[in-house]
Amino acid sequence: AIEGEAYFAVAHDPARPFSVSSPHGVVTAVGTQFDVDRLDDATEVSVYEGRVRVEPVAGGESVA
């Protein structure tokens, strides 16, 4: 299984949203700091500042 974790600090630019994809969904941020941890059976998102939008893949589990 492929696993990994990455931290992102994204500048505020609504014209250029920043997205991170994993097999479990897509995280989109504009002007925030967040961490994406891809595990074998899930993807964990930690937000340190600002907000992100998390969209699970079609047919996937809901995101809390």
Side-chain angles (χ1 to χ4, degrees):
I2 298 174
E3 295 183 6
E5 183 174 5
Y7 174 82
F8 302 94
V10 181
H12 180 72
D13 187 349
R16 294 176 41 179
F18 181 84
S19 297
V20 177
S21 298
S22 84
H24 307 104
V26 177
V27 179
T28 303
V30 177
T32 190
Q33 296 179 25
F34 66 104
D35 180 88
V36 176
D37 189 1
R38 179 179 168 185
L39 306 171
D40 187 36
D41 61 348
T43 298
E44 293 181 356
V45 178
S46 301
V47 180
Y48 300 99
E49 181 180 303
R51 297 184 307 173
V52 297
R53 180 176 65 238
V54 178
E55 301 175 55
V57 295
E61 296 180 20
S62 63
V63 178

PDB file of all heavy atoms in Angstrom, residues 7-50:
ATOM      1  N   TYR A   7       2.605  18.479   4.394  1.00  0.00           N
ATOM      2  CA  TYR A   7       2.108  19.714   4.993  1.00  0.00           C
ATOM      3  C   TYR A   7       2.136  20.794   3.918  1.00  0.00           C
ATOM      4  O   TYR A   7       3.101  20.896   3.164  1.00  0.00           O
ATOM      5  CB  TYR A   7       2.997  20.113   6.174  1.00  0.00           C
ATOM      6  CG  TYR A   7       2.640  21.461   6.757  1.00  0.00           C
ATOM      7  CD1 TYR A   7       1.601  21.576   7.663  1.00  0.00           C
ATOM      8  CD2 TYR A   7       3.324  22.604   6.382  1.00  0.00           C
ATOM      9  CE1 TYR A   7       1.258  22.801   8.184  1.00  0.00           C
ATOM     10  CE2 TYR A   7       2.994  23.831   6.904  1.00  0.00           C
ATOM     11  CZ  TYR A   7       1.956  23.927   7.807  1.00  0.00           C
ATOM     12  OH  TYR A   7       1.620  25.143   8.320  1.00  0.00           O
ATOM     13  N   PHE A   8       1.071  21.624   3.847  1.00  0.00           N
ATOM     14  CA  PHE A   8       0.975  22.667   2.836  1.00  0.00           C
ATOM     15  C   PHE A   8       0.647  24.005   3.488  1.00  0.00           C
ATOM     16  O   PHE A   8      -0.225  24.077   4.349  1.00  0.00           O
ATOM     17  CB  PHE A   8      -0.139  22.341   1.828  1.00  0.00           C
ATOM     18  CG  PHE A   8       0.045  21.028   1.135  1.00  0.00           C
ATOM     19  CD1 PHE A   8      -0.554  19.876   1.632  1.00  0.00           C
ATOM     20  CD2 PHE A   8       0.823  20.934  -0.006  1.00  0.00           C
ATOM     21  CE1 PHE A   8      -0.378  18.656   0.998  1.00  0.00           C
ATOM     22  CE2 PHE A   8       0.999  19.720  -0.645  1.00  0.00           C
ATOM     23  CZ  PHE A   8       0.401  18.577  -0.135  1.00  0.00           C
ATOM     24  N   ALA A   9       1.319  25.067   3.084  1.00  0.00           N
ATOM     25  CA  ALA A   9       0.988  26.442   3.439  1.00  0.00           C
ATOM     26  C   ALA A   9       0.658  27.129   2.118  1.00  0.00           C
ATOM     27  O   ALA A   9       1.532  27.300   1.268  1.00  0.00           O
ATOM     28  CB  ALA A   9       2.153  27.124   4.141  1.00  0.00           C
ATOM     29  N   VAL A  10      -0.608  27.502   1.917  1.00  0.00           N
ATOM     30  CA  VAL A  10      -1.093  27.972   0.628  1.00  0.00           C
ATOM     31  C   VAL A  10      -1.430  29.461   0.707  1.00  0.00           C
ATOM     32  O   VAL A  10      -2.163  29.887   1.596  1.00  0.00           O
ATOM     33  CB  VAL A  10      -2.348  27.167   0.208  1.00  0.00           C
ATOM     34  CG1 VAL A  10      -2.854  27.624  -1.141  1.00  0.00           C
ATOM     35  CG2 VAL A  10      -2.047  25.679   0.193  1.00  0.00           C
ATOM     36  N   ALA A  11      -0.915  30.245  -0.237  1.00  0.00           N
ATOM     37  CA  ALA A  11      -1.214  31.675  -0.304  1.00  0.00           C
ATOM     38  C   ALA A  11      -2.664  31.882  -0.748  1.00  0.00           C
ATOM     39  O   ALA A  11      -3.212  31.088  -1.510  1.00  0.00           O
ATOM     40  CB  ALA A  11      -0.265  32.355  -1.284  1.00  0.00           C
ATOM     41  N   HIS A  12      -3.275  32.954  -0.268  1.00  0.00           N
ATOM     42  CA  HIS A  12      -4.663  33.277  -0.611  1.00  0.00           C
ATOM     43  C   HIS A  12      -4.739  33.768  -2.055  1.00  0.00           C
ATOM     44  O   HIS A  12      -4.191  34.812  -2.387  1.00  0.00           O
ATOM     45  CB  HIS A  12      -5.198  34.342   0.343  1.00  0.00           C
ATOM     46  CG  HIS A  12      -6.613  34.710   0.054  1.00  0.00           C
ATOM     47  ND1 HIS A  12      -7.670  33.871   0.328  1.00  0.00           N
ATOM     48  CD2 HIS A  12      -7.148  35.807  -0.501  1.00  0.00           C
ATOM     49  CE1 HIS A  12      -8.797  34.448  -0.040  1.00  0.00           C
ATOM     50  NE2 HIS A  12      -8.504  35.625  -0.542  1.00  0.00           N
ATOM     51  N   ASP A  13      -5.386  33.004  -2.921  1.00  0.00           N
ATOM     52  CA  ASP A  13      -5.595  33.386  -4.313  1.00  0.00           C
ATOM     53  C   ASP A  13      -6.821  32.642  -4.835  1.00  0.00           C
ATOM     54  O   ASP A  13      -6.709  31.526  -5.359  1.00  0.00           O
ATOM     55  CB  ASP A  13      -4.370  33.057  -5.171  1.00  0.00           C
ATOM     56  CG  ASP A  13      -4.494  33.599  -6.587  1.00  0.00           C
ATOM     57  OD1 ASP A  13      -5.590  34.044  -6.984  1.00  0.00           O
ATOM     58  OD2 ASP A  13      -3.480  33.571  -7.312  1.00  0.00           O
ATOM     59  N   PRO A  14      -8.023  33.242  -4.683  1.00  0.00           N
ATOM     60  CA  PRO A  14      -9.263  32.561  -5.111  1.00  0.00           C
ATOM     61  C   PRO A  14      -9.270  32.163  -6.586  1.00  0.00           C
ATOM     62  O   PRO A  14      -9.969  31.242  -6.977  1.00  0.00           O
ATOM     63  CB  PRO A  14     -10.352  33.597  -4.829  1.00  0.00           C
ATOM     64  CG  PRO A  14      -9.756  34.526  -3.838  1.00  0.00           C
ATOM     65  CD  PRO A  14      -8.268  34.540  -4.101  1.00  0.00           C
ATOM     66  N   ALA A  15      -8.477  32.833  -7.405  1.00  0.00           N
ATOM     67  CA  ALA A  15      -8.433  32.498  -8.831  1.00  0.00           C
ATOM     68  C   ALA A  15      -7.647  31.227  -9.092  1.00  0.00           C
ATOM     69  O   ALA A  15      -7.735  30.650 -10.169  1.00  0.00           O
ATOM     70  CB  ALA A  15      -7.814  33.658  -9.618  1.00  0.00           C
ATOM     71  N   ARG A  16      -6.851  30.796  -8.102  1.00  0.00           N
ATOM     72  CA  ARG A  16      -6.023  29.600  -8.269  1.00  0.00           C
ATOM     73  C   ARG A  16      -6.158  28.686  -7.052  1.00  0.00           C
ATOM     74  O   ARG A  16      -5.255  28.599  -6.223  1.00  0.00           O
ATOM     75  CB  ARG A  16      -4.563  30.001  -8.460  1.00  0.00           C
ATOM     76  CG  ARG A  16      -4.316  30.758  -9.740  1.00  0.00           C
ATOM     77  CD  ARG A  16      -2.904  31.221  -9.883  1.00  0.00           C
ATOM     78  NE  ARG A  16      -1.967  30.196  -9.429  1.00  0.00           N
ATOM     79  CZ  ARG A  16      -0.667  30.309  -9.459  1.00  0.00           C
ATOM     80  NH1 ARG A  16      -0.125  31.402  -9.913  1.00  0.00           N
ATOM     81  NH2 ARG A  16       0.114  29.356  -9.036  1.00  0.00           N
ATOM     82  N   PRO A  17      -7.291  27.992  -6.922  1.00  0.00           N
ATOM     83  CA  PRO A  17      -7.453  27.090  -5.769  1.00  0.00           C
ATOM     84  C   PRO A  17      -6.429  25.961  -5.810  1.00  0.00           C
ATOM     85  O   PRO A  17      -6.001  25.533  -6.881  1.00  0.00           O
ATOM     86  CB  PRO A  17      -8.877  26.563  -5.904  1.00  0.00           C
ATOM     87  CG  PRO A  17      -9.250  26.801  -7.317  1.00  0.00           C
ATOM     88  CD  PRO A  17      -8.439  27.974  -7.805  1.00  0.00           C
ATOM     89  N   PHE A  18      -6.030  25.497  -4.645  1.00  0.00           N
ATOM     90  CA  PHE A  18      -5.020  24.448  -4.503  1.00  0.00           C
ATOM     91  C   PHE A  18      -5.716  23.182  -4.042  1.00  0.00           C
ATOM     92  O   PHE A  18      -6.434  23.191  -3.040  1.00  0.00           O
ATOM     93  CB  PHE A  18      -3.974  24.895  -3.476  1.00  0.00           C
ATOM     94  CG  PHE A  18      -2.872  23.899  -3.270  1.00  0.00           C
ATOM     95  CD1 PHE A  18      -1.784  23.871  -4.127  1.00  0.00           C
ATOM     96  CD2 PHE A  18      -2.918  22.995  -2.222  1.00  0.00           C
ATOM     97  CE1 PHE A  18      -0.750  22.962  -3.942  1.00  0.00           C
ATOM     98  CE2 PHE A  18      -1.892  22.082  -2.025  1.00  0.00           C
ATOM     99  CZ  PHE A  18      -0.810  22.068  -2.886  1.00  0.00           C
ATOM    100  N   SER A  19      -5.534  22.075  -4.751  1.00  0.00           N
ATOM    101  CA  SER A  19      -6.193  20.811  -4.412  1.00  0.00           C
ATOM    102  C   SER A  19      -5.176  19.695  -4.249  1.00  0.00           C
ATOM    103  O   SER A  19      -4.164  19.655  -4.961  1.00  0.00           O
ATOM    104  CB  SER A  19      -7.194  20.409  -5.498  1.00  0.00           C
ATOM    105  OG  SER A  19      -8.231  21.352  -5.595  1.00  0.00           O
ATOM    106  N   VAL A  20      -5.469  18.789  -3.317  1.00  0.00           N
ATOM    107  CA  VAL A  20      -4.668  17.585  -3.100  1.00  0.00           C
ATOM    108  C   VAL A  20      -5.613  16.399  -3.256  1.00  0.00           C
ATOM    109  O   VAL A  20      -6.649  16.342  -2.594  1.00  0.00           O
ATOM    110  CB  VAL A  20      -4.033  17.578  -1.687  1.00  0.00           C
ATOM    111  CG1 VAL A  20      -3.269  16.288  -1.457  1.00  0.00           C
ATOM    112  CG2 VAL A  20      -3.124  18.785  -1.500  1.00  0.00           C
ATOM    113  N   SER A  21      -5.272  15.461  -4.128  1.00  0.00           N
ATOM    114  CA  SER A  21      -6.112  14.288  -4.366  1.00  0.00           C
ATOM    115  C   SER A  21      -5.514  13.058  -3.711  1.00  0.00           C
ATOM    116  O   SER A  21      -4.296  12.899  -3.658  1.00  0.00           O
ATOM    117  CB  SER A  21      -6.226  14.017  -5.871  1.00  0.00           C
ATOM    118  OG  SER A  21      -6.838  15.094  -6.522  1.00  0.00           O
ATOM    119  N   SER A  22      -6.403  12.206  -3.204  1.00  0.00           N
ATOM    120  CA  SER A  22      -6.006  10.896  -2.703  1.00  0.00           C
ATOM    121  C   SER A  22      -7.063   9.908  -3.174  1.00  0.00           C
ATOM    122  O   SER A  22      -8.102  10.323  -3.692  1.00  0.00           O
ATOM    123  CB  SER A  22      -5.908  10.901  -1.168  1.00  0.00           C
ATOM    124  OG  SER A  22      -7.165  10.677  -0.581  1.00  0.00           O
ATOM    125  N   PRO A  23      -6.848   8.623  -2.999  1.00  0.00           N
ATOM    126  CA  PRO A  23      -7.861   7.656  -3.422  1.00  0.00           C
ATOM    127  C   PRO A  23      -9.186   7.819  -2.680  1.00  0.00           C
ATOM    128  O   PRO A  23     -10.201   7.320  -3.125  1.00  0.00           O
ATOM    129  CB  PRO A  23      -7.233   6.304  -3.079  1.00  0.00           C
ATOM    130  CG  PRO A  23      -5.776   6.551  -3.009  1.00  0.00           C
ATOM    131  CD  PRO A  23      -5.638   7.963  -2.523  1.00  0.00           C
ATOM    132  N   HIS A  24      -9.178   8.558  -1.570  1.00  0.00           N
ATOM    133  CA  HIS A  24     -10.368   8.685  -0.743  1.00  0.00           C
ATOM    134  C   HIS A  24     -11.120   9.984  -0.979  1.00  0.00           C
ATOM    135  O   HIS A  24     -12.235  10.147  -0.511  1.00  0.00           O
ATOM    136  CB  HIS A  24      -9.976   8.568   0.732  1.00  0.00           C
ATOM    137  CG  HIS A  24      -9.181   7.338   0.984  1.00  0.00           C
ATOM    138  ND1 HIS A  24      -7.815   7.380   1.171  1.00  0.00           N
ATOM    139  CD2 HIS A  24      -9.523   6.032   1.031  1.00  0.00           C
ATOM    140  CE1 HIS A  24      -7.365   6.148   1.344  1.00  0.00           C
ATOM    141  NE2 HIS A  24      -8.382   5.311   1.250  1.00  0.00           N
ATOM    142  N   GLY A  25     -10.526  10.947  -1.687  1.00  0.00           N
ATOM    143  CA  GLY A  25     -11.204  12.206  -1.954  1.00  0.00           C
ATOM    144  C   GLY A  25     -10.231  13.302  -2.334  1.00  0.00           C
ATOM    145  O   GLY A  25      -9.051  13.058  -2.572  1.00  0.00           O
ATOM    146  N   VAL A  26     -10.780  14.534  -2.387  1.00  0.00           N
ATOM    147  CA  VAL A  26      -9.996  15.707  -2.781  1.00  0.00           C
ATOM    148  C   VAL A  26     -10.139  16.767  -1.705  1.00  0.00           C
ATOM    149  O   VAL A  26     -11.242  17.038  -1.229  1.00  0.00           O
ATOM    150  CB  VAL A  26     -10.498  16.276  -4.134  1.00  0.00           C
ATOM    151  CG1 VAL A  26      -9.739  17.534  -4.516  1.00  0.00           C
ATOM    152  CG2 VAL A  26     -10.382  15.228  -5.225  1.00  0.00           C
ATOM    153  N   VAL A  27      -9.017  17.390  -1.313  1.00  0.00           N
ATOM    154  CA  VAL A  27      -8.997  18.489  -0.353  1.00  0.00           C
ATOM    155  C   VAL A  27      -8.620  19.742  -1.125  1.00  0.00           C
ATOM    156  O   VAL A  27      -7.595  19.763  -1.814  1.00  0.00           O
ATOM    157  CB  VAL A  27      -7.961  18.237   0.768  1.00  0.00           C
ATOM    158  CG1 VAL A  27      -7.943  19.397   1.740  1.00  0.00           C
ATOM    159  CG2 VAL A  27      -8.248  16.926   1.473  1.00  0.00           C
ATOM    160  N   THR A  28      -9.450  20.798  -1.041  1.00  0.00           N
ATOM    161  CA  THR A  28      -9.184  22.041  -1.751  1.00  0.00           C
ATOM    162  C   THR A  28      -9.056  23.174  -0.742  1.00  0.00           C
ATOM    163  O   THR A  28      -9.903  23.332   0.125  1.00  0.00           O
ATOM    164  CB  THR A  28     -10.315  22.364  -2.758  1.00  0.00           C
ATOM    165  OG1 THR A  28     -10.439  21.266  -3.664  1.00  0.00           O
ATOM    166  CG2 THR A  28     -10.014  23.638  -3.537  1.00  0.00           C
ATOM    167  N   ALA A  29      -8.009  23.981  -0.880  1.00  0.00           N
ATOM    168  CA  ALA A  29      -7.752  25.081   0.047  1.00  0.00           C
ATOM    169  C   ALA A  29      -7.430  26.352  -0.710  1.00  0.00           C
ATOM    170  O   ALA A  29      -6.895  26.316  -1.807  1.00  0.00           O
ATOM    171  CB  ALA A  29      -6.578  24.727   0.944  1.00  0.00           C
ATOM    172  N   VAL A  30      -7.762  27.475  -0.079  1.00  0.00           N
ATOM    173  CA  VAL A  30      -7.352  28.782  -0.584  1.00  0.00           C
ATOM    174  C   VAL A  30      -6.918  29.585   0.628  1.00  0.00           C
ATOM    175  O   VAL A  30      -7.730  29.916   1.485  1.00  0.00           O
ATOM    176  CB  VAL A  30      -8.507  29.503  -1.320  1.00  0.00           C
ATOM    177  CG1 VAL A  30      -8.067  30.888  -1.766  1.00  0.00           C
ATOM    178  CG2 VAL A  30      -8.977  28.696  -2.507  1.00  0.00           C
ATOM    179  N   GLY A  31      -5.630  29.867   0.752  1.00  0.00           N
ATOM    180  CA  GLY A  31      -5.112  30.662   1.856  1.00  0.00           C
ATOM    181  C   GLY A  31      -5.202  29.959   3.191  1.00  0.00           C
ATOM    182  O   GLY A  31      -5.874  30.437   4.094  1.00  0.00           O
ATOM    183  N   THR A  32      -4.557  28.835   3.337  1.00  0.00           N
ATOM    184  CA  THR A  32      -4.641  28.081   4.581  1.00  0.00           C
ATOM    185  C   THR A  32      -3.374  27.276   4.799  1.00  0.00           C
ATOM    186  O   THR A  32      -2.502  27.210   3.944  1.00  0.00           O
ATOM    187  CB  THR A  32      -5.877  27.150   4.573  1.00  0.00           C
ATOM    188  OG1 THR A  32      -6.059  26.607   5.858  1.00  0.00           O
ATOM    189  CG2 THR A  32      -5.745  26.041   3.570  1.00  0.00           C
ATOM    190  N   GLN A  33      -3.293  26.629   5.956  1.00  0.00           N
ATOM    191  CA  GLN A  33      -2.208  25.705   6.264  1.00  0.00           C
ATOM    192  C   GLN A  33      -2.848  24.398   6.706  1.00  0.00           C
ATOM    193  O   GLN A  33      -3.668  24.391   7.628  1.00  0.00           O
ATOM    194  CB  GLN A  33      -1.328  26.262   7.382  1.00  0.00           C
ATOM    195  CG  GLN A  33      -0.617  27.537   6.994  1.00  0.00           C
ATOM    196  CD  GLN A  33       0.218  28.084   8.121  1.00  0.00           C
ATOM    197  OE1 GLN A  33       0.648  27.346   8.989  1.00  0.00           O
ATOM    198  NE2 GLN A  33       0.443  29.378   8.113  1.00  0.00           N
ATOM    199  N   PHE A  34      -2.493  23.316   6.026  1.00  0.00           N
ATOM    200  CA  PHE A  34      -3.114  22.029   6.353  1.00  0.00           C
ATOM    201  C   PHE A  34      -2.165  20.889   6.060  1.00  0.00           C
ATOM    202  O   PHE A  34      -1.171  21.042   5.371  1.00  0.00           O
ATOM    203  CB  PHE A  34      -4.434  21.845   5.597  1.00  0.00           C
ATOM    204  CG  PHE A  34      -4.294  21.730   4.093  1.00  0.00           C
ATOM    205  CD1 PHE A  34      -4.404  20.494   3.485  1.00  0.00           C
ATOM    206  CD2 PHE A  34      -4.085  22.841   3.301  1.00  0.00           C
ATOM    207  CE1 PHE A  34      -4.293  20.371   2.107  1.00  0.00           C
ATOM    208  CE2 PHE A  34      -3.975  22.739   1.927  1.00  0.00           C
ATOM    209  CZ  PHE A  34      -4.084  21.497   1.323  1.00  0.00           C
ATOM    210  N   ASP A  35      -2.514  19.740   6.601  1.00  0.00           N
ATOM    211  CA  ASP A  35      -1.713  18.529   6.484  1.00  0.00           C
ATOM    212  C   ASP A  35      -2.609  17.428   5.939  1.00  0.00           C
ATOM    213  O   ASP A  35      -3.754  17.290   6.373  1.00  0.00           O
ATOM    214  CB  ASP A  35      -1.198  18.151   7.884  1.00  0.00           C
ATOM    215  CG  ASP A  35      -0.353  16.907   7.879  1.00  0.00           C
ATOM    216  OD1 ASP A  35       0.858  17.038   7.673  1.00  0.00           O
ATOM    217  OD2 ASP A  35      -0.903  15.816   8.094  1.00  0.00           O
ATOM    218  N   VAL A  36      -2.114  16.649   4.974  1.00  0.00           N
ATOM    219  CA  VAL A  36      -2.851  15.509   4.433  1.00  0.00           C
ATOM    220  C   VAL A  36      -2.017  14.261   4.687  1.00  0.00           C
ATOM    221  O   VAL A  36      -0.855  14.192   4.288  1.00  0.00           O
ATOM    222  CB  VAL A  36      -3.118  15.672   2.915  1.00  0.00           C
ATOM    223  CG1 VAL A  36      -3.796  14.432   2.357  1.00  0.00           C
ATOM    224  CG2 VAL A  36      -3.965  16.903   2.656  1.00  0.00           C
ATOM    225  N   ASP A  37      -2.612  13.302   5.376  1.00  0.00           N
ATOM    226  CA  ASP A  37      -1.932  12.048   5.716  1.00  0.00           C
ATOM    227  C   ASP A  37      -2.671  10.911   5.026  1.00  0.00           C
ATOM    228  O   ASP A  37      -3.792  10.574   5.394  1.00  0.00           O
ATOM    229  CB  ASP A  37      -1.929  11.849   7.231  1.00  0.00           C
ATOM    230  CG  ASP A  37      -1.055  10.695   7.679  1.00  0.00           C
ATOM    231  OD1 ASP A  37      -0.422  10.040   6.825  1.00  0.00           O
ATOM    232  OD2 ASP A  37      -1.002  10.452   8.899  1.00  0.00           O
ATOM    233  N   ARG A  38      -2.055  10.344   4.000  1.00  0.00           N
ATOM    234  CA  ARG A  38      -2.677   9.233   3.266  1.00  0.00           C
ATOM    235  C   ARG A  38      -2.306   7.930   3.959  1.00  0.00           C
ATOM    236  O   ARG A  38      -1.148   7.518   3.971  1.00  0.00           O
ATOM    237  CB  ARG A  38      -2.205   9.221   1.819  1.00  0.00           C
ATOM    238  CG  ARG A  38      -2.808   8.067   1.053  1.00  0.00           C
ATOM    239  CD  ARG A  38      -2.376   8.062  -0.382  1.00  0.00           C
ATOM    240  NE  ARG A  38      -2.749   6.787  -0.975  1.00  0.00           N
ATOM    241  CZ  ARG A  38      -2.428   6.446  -2.195  1.00  0.00           C
ATOM    242  NH1 ARG A  38      -1.751   7.265  -2.956  1.00  0.00           N
ATOM    243  NH2 ARG A  38      -2.797   5.280  -2.662  1.00  0.00           N
ATOM    244  N   LEU A  39      -3.306   7.300   4.531  1.00  0.00           N
ATOM    245  CA  LEU A  39      -3.140   6.005   5.183  1.00  0.00           C
ATOM    246  C   LEU A  39      -3.600   4.916   4.223  1.00  0.00           C
ATOM    247  O   LEU A  39      -4.135   5.202   3.149  1.00  0.00           O
ATOM    248  CB  LEU A  39      -3.957   5.975   6.479  1.00  0.00           C
ATOM    249  CG  LEU A  39      -3.673   7.127   7.450  1.00  0.00           C
ATOM    250  CD1 LEU A  39      -4.680   7.118   8.576  1.00  0.00           C
ATOM    251  CD2 LEU A  39      -2.263   7.052   7.970  1.00  0.00           C
ATOM    252  N   ASP A  40      -3.437   3.673   4.612  1.00  0.00           N
ATOM    253  CA  ASP A  40      -3.827   2.560   3.750  1.00  0.00           C
ATOM    254  C   ASP A  40      -5.325   2.566   3.457  1.00  0.00           C
ATOM    255  O   ASP A  40      -5.744   2.379   2.324  1.00  0.00           O
ATOM    256  CB  ASP A  40      -3.414   1.239   4.386  1.00  0.00           C
ATOM    257  CG  ASP A  40      -3.646   0.059   3.458  1.00  0.00           C
ATOM    258  OD1 ASP A  40      -3.450   0.214   2.233  1.00  0.00           O
ATOM    259  OD2 ASP A  40      -4.021  -1.011   3.957  1.00  0.00           O
ATOM    260  N   ASP A  41      -6.151   2.819   4.480  1.00  0.00           N
ATOM    261  CA  ASP A  41      -7.598   2.709   4.316  1.00  0.00           C
ATOM    262  C   ASP A  41      -8.352   4.016   4.522  1.00  0.00           C
ATOM    263  O   ASP A  41      -9.572   4.031   4.591  1.00  0.00           O
ATOM    264  CB  ASP A  41      -8.154   1.641   5.262  1.00  0.00           C
ATOM    265  CG  ASP A  41      -7.901   1.984   6.723  1.00  0.00           C
ATOM    266  OD1 ASP A  41      -7.119   2.916   7.001  1.00  0.00           O
ATOM    267  OD2 ASP A  41      -8.488   1.322   7.590  1.00  0.00           O
ATOM    268  N   ALA A  42      -7.642   5.148   4.622  1.00  0.00           N
ATOM    269  CA  ALA A  42      -8.289   6.442   4.856  1.00  0.00           C
ATOM    270  C   ALA A  42      -7.311   7.563   4.541  1.00  0.00           C
ATOM    271  O   ALA A  42      -6.123   7.333   4.347  1.00  0.00           O
ATOM    272  CB  ALA A  42      -8.748   6.543   6.305  1.00  0.00           C
ATOM    273  N   THR A  43      -7.831   8.777   4.502  1.00  0.00           N
ATOM    274  CA  THR A  43      -7.010   9.973   4.376  1.00  0.00           C
ATOM    275  C   THR A  43      -7.403  10.909   5.507  1.00  0.00           C
ATOM    276  O   THR A  43      -8.578  11.232   5.650  1.00  0.00           O
ATOM    277  CB  THR A  43      -7.224  10.662   3.014  1.00  0.00           C
ATOM    278  OG1 THR A  43      -6.834   9.757   1.975  1.00  0.00           O
ATOM    279  CG2 THR A  43      -6.408  11.924   2.899  1.00  0.00           C
ATOM    280  N   GLU A  44      -6.428  11.336   6.320  1.00  0.00           N
ATOM    281  CA  GLU A  44      -6.683  12.259   7.422  1.00  0.00           C
ATOM    282  C   GLU A  44      -6.239  13.657   7.022  1.00  0.00           C
ATOM    283  O   GLU A  44      -5.161  13.835   6.454  1.00  0.00           O
ATOM    284  CB  GLU A  44      -5.930  11.843   8.678  1.00  0.00           C
ATOM    285  CG  GLU A  44      -6.411  10.541   9.268  1.00  0.00           C
ATOM    286  CD  GLU A  44      -5.655  10.155  10.529  1.00  0.00           C
ATOM    287  OE1 GLU A  44      -4.706  10.861  10.918  1.00  0.00           O
ATOM    288  OE2 GLU A  44      -6.019   9.144  11.113  1.00  0.00           O
ATOM    289  N   VAL A  45      -7.073  14.658   7.340  1.00  0.00           N
ATOM    290  CA  VAL A  45      -6.761  16.048   7.036  1.00  0.00           C
ATOM    291  C   VAL A  45      -6.754  16.826   8.345  1.00  0.00           C
ATOM    292  O   VAL A  45      -7.713  16.764   9.108  1.00  0.00           O
ATOM    293  CB  VAL A  45      -7.804  16.657   6.078  1.00  0.00           C
ATOM    294  CG1 VAL A  45      -7.504  18.125   5.799  1.00  0.00           C
ATOM    295  CG2 VAL A  45      -7.868  15.868   4.782  1.00  0.00           C
ATOM    296  N   SER A  46      -5.663  17.558   8.611  1.00  0.00           N
ATOM    297  CA  SER A  46      -5.561  18.424   9.780  1.00  0.00           C
ATOM    298  C   SER A  46      -5.427  19.854   9.282  1.00  0.00           C
ATOM    299  O   SER A  46      -4.560  20.153   8.469  1.00  0.00           O
ATOM    300  CB  SER A  46      -4.334  18.066  10.625  1.00  0.00           C
ATOM    301  OG  SER A  46      -4.400  16.726  11.065  1.00  0.00           O
ATOM    302  N   VAL A  47      -6.293  20.756   9.777  1.00  0.00           N
ATOM    303  CA  VAL A  47      -6.264  22.157   9.363  1.00  0.00           C
ATOM    304  C   VAL A  47      -5.678  22.982  10.500  1.00  0.00           C
ATOM    305  O   VAL A  47      -6.174  22.938  11.619  1.00  0.00           O
ATOM    306  CB  VAL A  47      -7.675  22.661   9.003  1.00  0.00           C
ATOM    307  CG1 VAL A  47      -7.636  24.120   8.582  1.00  0.00           C
ATOM    308  CG2 VAL A  47      -8.274  21.800   7.909  1.00  0.00           C
ATOM    309  N   TYR A  48      -4.609  23.724  10.219  1.00  0.00           N
ATOM    310  CA  TYR A  48      -3.926  24.532  11.229  1.00  0.00           C
ATOM    311  C   TYR A  48      -4.385  25.980  11.193  1.00  0.00           C
ATOM    312  O   TYR A  48      -4.314  26.677  12.200  1.00  0.00           O
ATOM    313  CB  TYR A  48      -2.414  24.450  11.029  1.00  0.00           C
ATOM    314  CG  TYR A  48      -1.916  23.034  11.158  1.00  0.00           C
ATOM    315  CD1 TYR A  48      -1.677  22.262  10.033  1.00  0.00           C
ATOM    316  CD2 TYR A  48      -1.734  22.458  12.403  1.00  0.00           C
ATOM    317  CE1 TYR A  48      -1.253  20.949  10.150  1.00  0.00           C
ATOM    318  CE2 TYR A  48      -1.311  21.146  12.528  1.00  0.00           C
ATOM    319  CZ  TYR A  48      -1.069  20.400  11.397  1.00  0.00           C
ATOM    320  OH  TYR A  48      -0.658  19.094  11.508  1.00  0.00           O
ATOM    321  N   GLU A  49      -4.826  26.454  10.029  1.00  0.00           N
ATOM    322  CA  GLU A  49      -5.276  27.830   9.873  1.00  0.00           C
ATOM    323  C   GLU A  49      -6.162  27.896   8.644  1.00  0.00           C
ATOM    324  O   GLU A  49      -5.894  27.238   7.642  1.00  0.00           O
ATOM    325  CB  GLU A  49      -4.063  28.744   9.686  1.00  0.00           C
ATOM    326  CG  GLU A  49      -4.390  30.213   9.545  1.00  0.00           C
ATOM    327  CD  GLU A  49      -3.141  31.038   9.376  1.00  0.00           C
ATOM    328  OE1 GLU A  49      -2.255  30.968  10.250  1.00  0.00           O
ATOM    329  OE2 GLU A  49      -3.040  31.737   8.361  1.00  0.00           O
ATOM    330  N   GLY A  50      -7.231  28.677   8.697  1.00  0.00           N
ATOM    331  CA  GLY A  50      -8.113  28.832   7.549  1.00  0.00           C
ATOM    332  C   GLY A  50      -9.112  27.691   7.432  1.00  0.00           C
ATOM    333  O   GLY A  50      -9.456  27.047   8.417  1.00  0.00           O
TER     334      GLY A  50
END
